Amino acid sequence: MSHAILDLLGQVMTSPWLYVALFALAMLDGFFPIVPAETAVITAGVFAASTGDPNLWLVMAVAALGAFAGDHISYFIGSKAGRRLKGKKAYAWAQQALAERGGLLLVVARYIPGGRTAATLTMGGVRYPRRSFAFFDAIAAGSWAVYSALIGFFGGMAFENDPLKGLLLGLGIAVSITAIVELVRWLRKRRSQGSHRALVVAAQGAEGDS
């Protein structure tokens, strides 16, 4: 079974259409987040290390361009449907995070499940300046493409003679990093809520003393 999977993946990775597929997946992932774009880029990185095909630099470039294009489509959708998005939990989170972090939200949200789409839709909905959006999104899309491809590449180098194990290692690293980001975000949110409650209690105590 594993040999059949490797043979199929090997054929896909040597096809000249691979780069078109990576671009399309990364673009669709910008506004349709169930598309496995990151998995595809990691897989390409694994085979780039194991077999030399595809070209790692081209993988990074087309993935970044696809993500950049997809985020701009999501921004456009948000600008047209901003009112409908209000009230949704993800929209509210992204709006608050945008107020706190500005354009850096795009870079942070790129590594949060569902956060990327929420961020781009929200920035479109609030009419965030398009030039600033493009600047921060270029950083976000580029860093994501490099990160995903290199995770796969180093996984492929670790298991040069067994690409399947390299792929599993790469996916495991990606999932672990995402989990760590989510944990840190949750802890920071909890700490912030705790601080807010403490301030409220202190303020109420001061009012009672007076």
Side-chain angles (χ1 to χ4, degrees), residues 16 18-20 22-23 41 44 48 53-66 145 149:
L18 170 70
Y19 302 107
V20 177
L22 287 175
F23 177 91
V41 178
D53 277 322
N55 183 287
L56 183 67
W57 298 105
L58 275 178
V59 168
M60 293 178 182
V62 297
L65 289 172

Side-chain angles (χ1 to χ4, degrees), residues 192-204:
S192 177
Q193 290 174 342
S195 300
H196 178 71
R197 289 196 195 97
L199 287 172
V200 170
V201 171
Q204 289 174 343

Side-chain angles (χ1 to χ4, degrees), residues 66-190:
F68 185 81
D71 288 346
H72 276 71
I73 293 172
S74 182
Y75 177 96
F76 176 77
I77 293 171
S79 68
K80 297 298 181 183
R83 291 181 181 177
R84 298 177 190 174
L85 295 171
K86 289 180 179 178
K88 292 189 176 182
K89 189 175 180 180
Y91 185 92
W93 166 80
Q95 202 165 22
Q96 181 182 356
L98 179 60
E100 294 173 355
R101 297 185 177 89
L104 286 175
L105 168 64
L106 279 173
V107 182
V108 175
R110 176 64 60 173
Y111 303 95
I112 298 173
R116 166 181 21 187
T117 305
T120 51
L121 286 172
T122 301
M123 294 176 91
V126 300
R127 301 294 199 278
Y128 189 81
R130 190 166 296 185
R131 286 188 179 180
S132 296
F133 176 85
F135 172 76
F136 285 106
D137 192 50
I139 297 173
S143 65
W144 169 80
V146 172
Y147 147 84
S148 300
L150 287 182
I151 281 179
F153 185 79
F154 289 126
M157 287 182 65
F159 293 97
E160 191 171 353
N161 297 320
D162 195 341
L164 194 56
K165 287 183 179 178
L167 176 57
L168 292 174
L169 175 62
L171 292 174
I173 293 172
V175 170
S176 299
I177 291 174
T178 301
I180 291 170
V181 170
E182 278 290 276
L183 178 61
V184 170
R185 187 169 72 93
W186 180 80
L187 289 173
R188 289 187 63 183
K189 183 179 179 181
R190 188 176 180 183

